[in-house]
């Protein structure tokens, strides 16, 4: 089973036609103040419609047929910016368009597209849902591109590990590359040792499917170099420091960093941005067998630094370290890594607000602005230098699991920083890649985080 690897699939969007039905998005004040036509107002009052957030009231015509729908936004200033995702779940099948709304048409369409997502690969598909017309004064391709990317990331994360191991992740990676005519190179198995990726090999060598480094190249030679690195731990048992069952339950999502950089790469390639794009994904399973790496081992890294293993469940930073070292060998103009790296990030900021780390003040400012502009939450955290002492080990250059448990997300970022070349414009995103509860624009499950904000920054700096 291969998840979506292109934007060519049945669309939740339609072309605006005279046959499409109108949706009137309204606030409670619109009903209280009579800001509707007489028929619509009378029907809303007769039905007791209060325009609560996400509420839908179907409106009949004089002939008894469906004439449209009222959509409640909730109280002004309190409604979710992507509340229109509810429309994809509540409207009956058919073609619709937004007739009135205080939100921009592009926002409504994007929310609808994200809210229409369903992961139904393992059960009978639900009946076809409604379709929404993208307003004619809106960049329809941009909206479809973003929706497709979000769906791709969710599909990859939601697919269970028995169908999304390193082999399947490589197949999805190749499928994405093939669609956009990108080149792929893979270093796998024991070749990782001879080619200089010892920590990727160590983490993944205990699994049935060999570990590997996936590399994709696309774009214009001589253009600004953009490199994306995504953690591709397809399942994480914790290794010999095994996780308890409750912590292992969602570990199919530990390749969420890979899923998100692949989705970001899809947007970049689909938009034809003038960049020299490189995508690196270390794809492994952190499994248990006689060949598993052990607590107390000291691993060599591609960079030459030695790493003392104080917890085999802190494996993501190990595979990223070799990949980041490799990325820096070509001196990228911008280096981004994304990883479901630490539980500490979730303790600090919760599941919906991913932290990012960078010493590049210009990049940090651009990311903060883009995050607010496109409603893709991000929060900058500090690369606090005094904590670098916590990453030191007794018998090696570094430890992969500092003692004490304090500032776990920060010390993980500081560990990664040791493998990034000085003066590189680099940002690390410690994402959750999972929505624990339903939102208007997203069902619970795998989630895209940070990629719309990143695309906004990259496309602004390098417009097509």
């Amino acid at each position: 089973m291969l998840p979506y690897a292109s934007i060519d699939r049945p669309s939740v969007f339609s072309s605006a036609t005279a046959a499409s039905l109108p949706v009137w998005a309204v606030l409670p004040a619109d009903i209280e103040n009579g800001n509707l036509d007489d028929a619509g107002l009378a029907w809303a009052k007769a039905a007791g419609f209060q325009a609560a957030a996400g509420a839908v009231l179907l409106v009949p015509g004089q002939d008894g047929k469906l004439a449209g729908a009222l959509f409640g936004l909730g109280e002004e200033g309190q409604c979710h910016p992507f509340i229109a995702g509810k429309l994809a779940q509540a409207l009956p099948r058919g073609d619709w368009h937004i007739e009135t709304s205080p939100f921009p048409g592009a926002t409504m369409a994007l929310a609808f597209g994200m809210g229409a997502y369903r992961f139904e690969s393992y059960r009978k598909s639900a009946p076809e849902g409604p379709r929404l017309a993208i307003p004619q004064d809106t960049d329809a391709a941009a909206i479809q591109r973003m929706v497709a990317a979000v769906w791709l990331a969710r599909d990859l994360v939601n697919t269970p590990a028995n169908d999304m191991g390193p082999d399947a992740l490589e197949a999805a990676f190749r499928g994405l590359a093939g669609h956009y005519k990108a080149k792929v190179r893979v270093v796998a198995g024991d070749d990782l040792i001879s080619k200089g990726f010892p920590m990727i090999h160590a983490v993944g060598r205990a699994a049935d499917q060999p570990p590997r480094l996936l590399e994709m190249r696309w774009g214009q030679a001589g253009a600004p170099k953009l490199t994306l690195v995504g953690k591709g731990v397809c399942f994480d048992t914790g290794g010999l420091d095994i996780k308890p069952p409750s912590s292992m339950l969602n570990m199919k999502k530990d390749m969420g960093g890979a899923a998100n950089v692949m989705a970001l790469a899809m947007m970049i390639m689909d938009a034809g941005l003038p960049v020299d794009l490189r995508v690196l994904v270390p794809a492994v399973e952190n499994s248990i067998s006689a060949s598993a790496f052990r607590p107390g081992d000291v691993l060599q890294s591609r960079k030459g630094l030695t790493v003392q293993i104080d917890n085999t469940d802190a494996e993501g930073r190990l595979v990223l370290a070799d990949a980041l070292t490799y990325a820096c060998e070509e001196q990228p103009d911008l280096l981004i890594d994304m990883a479901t790296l630490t539980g500490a990030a979730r303790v600090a900021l919760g599941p919906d607000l991913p932290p990012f780390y960078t010493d590049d003040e210009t990049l940090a400012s651009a990311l903060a602005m883009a995050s607010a502009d496109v409603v893709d939450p991000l929060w900058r955290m500090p690369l606090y230098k005094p904590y670098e002492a916590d990453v030191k080990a007794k018998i090696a250059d570094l430890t992969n699991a500092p003692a004490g448990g304090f500032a776990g997300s920060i010390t993980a970022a500081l560990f990664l920083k040791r493998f990034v070349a000085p003066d590189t414009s680099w940002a690390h995103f410690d994402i959750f890649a999972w929505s624990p509860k339903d939102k208007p624009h997203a069902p619970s499950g795998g989630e895209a985080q940070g990629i719309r904000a990143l695309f906004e920054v990259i496309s602004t700096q390098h417009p097509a």
Side-chain angles (χ1 to χ4, degrees):
M1 183 182 65
L2 182 64
Y4 291 123
S6 78
I7 64 169
D8 295 335
R9 61 168 170 273
S11 176
V12 296
F13 299 112
S14 64
S15 300
T17 65
S20 66
L21 294 171
V23 175
W24 299 277
V26 295
L27 300 162
D30 293 323
I31 297 174
E32 294 170 8
N33 300 331
N35 297 334
L36 295 172
D37 62 41
D38 291 341
L41 183 62
W43 179 248
K45 289 184 175 181
F49 184 70
Q50 301 294 318
V56 170
L57 177 65
L58 299 179
V59 178
Q62 291 182 350
D63 57 1
K65 296 181 179 180
L66 190 59
L70 291 170
F71 178 56
L73 299 174
E75 295 295 337
E76 187 171 8
Q78 299 179 19
C79 46
H80 194 287
F82 288 144
I83 188 66
K86 289 279 191 180
L87 285 170
Q89 307 160 29
L91 289 174
R93 179 180 177 180
D95 290 341
W96 298 81
H97 67 271
I98 303 298
E99 184 74 17
T100 61
S101 173
F103 289 116
T107 301
M108 298 288 283
L110 176 61
F112 182 93
M114 292 192 293
Y117 175 82
R118 296 291 181 272
F119 185 69
E120 297 175 331
S121 298
Y122 297 90
R123 62 186 180 192
K124 185 177 180 181
S125 297
E128 185 178 336
R131 301 193 307 170
L132 187 72
I134 299 176
Q136 293 183 348
D137 60 350
T138 300
D139 187 344
I143 292 171
Q144 291 174 318
R145 181 180 303 126
M146 283 186 279
V147 170
V150 169
W151 282 30
L152 172 61
R154 291 173 180 172
D155 277 347
L156 291 168
V157 174
N158 282 328
T159 303
N162 59 314
D163 284 328
M164 190 46 66
D167 289 347
L169 185 58
E170 179 182 336
F173 193 85
R174 289 184 180 277
L176 177 64
H179 183 77
Y180 293 102
K181 297 180 173 55
K183 296 180 180 179
V184 172
R185 174 176 178 260
V186 177
V187 180
D190 290 343
D191 286 347
L192 289 165
I193 298 175
S194 61
K195 298 292 186 181
F197 302 100
M199 293 205 294
I200 297 175
H201 181 270
V203 171
R205 70 192 184 200
D208 287 339
Q209 295 181 19
R212 65 206 71 188
L213 178 67
L214 311 176
E215 181 174 6
M216 182 191 304
R217 290 178 179 270
W218 173 92
Q220 306 174 12
K225 294 180 180 179
L226 169 62
T227 300
L228 310 177
V229 179
K231 174 186 169 184
V233 178
C234 295
F235 193 81
D236 181 17
T237 66
L240 292 174
D241 288 309
I242 191 168
K243 295 176 182 287
S246 60
S247 297
M248 209 184 301
L249 186 61
N250 278 340
M251 281 300 99
K252 67 177 183 179
K253 78 171 187 65
D254 214 20
M255 40 64 69
N260 273 268
V261 299
M262 287 169 65
L264 176 57
M266 189 182 86
M267 285 194 283
I268 290 167
M269 294 187 291
D270 193 75
L273 299 188
V275 295
D276 184 356
L277 177 66
R278 189 181 184 204
V279 184
L280 301 174
V281 170
V284 303
E285 286 188 51
N286 187 19
S287 297
I288 298 173
S289 75
S291 63
F293 74 120
R294 299 161 290 254
D297 284 356
V298 174
L299 302 182
Q300 293 286 336
S301 69
R302 183 178 183 86
K303 191 167 185 176
L305 294 170
T306 55
V307 180
Q308 177 178 309
I309 304 304
D310 287 317
N311 193 317
T312 62
D313 196 19
E315 85 298 331
R317 66 199 69 186
L318 302 176
V319 299
L320 287 173
D322 275 354
L324 287 169
T325 300
Y326 182 49
C328 290
E329 290 167 9
E330 292 195 3
Q331 299 178 318
D333 295 293
L334 177 61
L335 173 60
I336 300 294
D337 82 74
M338 306 189 83
T340 52
L341 204 60
T342 70
R346 259 45 72 195
V347 172
L349 298 177
D352 301 334
L353 184 58
F356 73 94
Y357 297 83
T358 183
D359 279 335
D360 185 329
E361 297 298 329
T362 301
L363 177 60
S365 178
L367 284 168
M369 291 180 62
S371 170
D373 288 345
V374 302
V375 197
D376 194 6
L378 293 170
W379 194 262
R380 187 185 184 187
M381 293 276 276
L383 288 161
Y384 187 59
K385 289 187 178 181
Y387 289 164
E388 287 180 350
D390 296 337
V391 186
K392 295 180 180 178
K394 289 184 178 180
I395 65 169
D397 294 318
L398 302 169
T399 173
N400 77 321
F406 293 120
S409 183
I410 297 175
T411 55
L414 289 169
F415 178 94
L416 296 179
K417 185 181 177 183
R418 293 293 299 271
F419 296 89
V420 175
D423 301 322
T424 301
S425 179
W426 162 68
H428 159 61
F429 293 75
D430 191 343
I431 64 174
F432 194 41
W434 191 262
S435 180
K437 58 184 179 181
D438 291 340
K439 302 181 182 67
H441 61 294
S444 60
E447 186 58 300
Q449 293 185 311
I451 61 172
R452 291 186 296 105
L454 276 163
F455 182 76
E456 177 73 8
V457 171
I458 295 165
S459 60
T460 298
Q461 294 177 348
H462 309 291

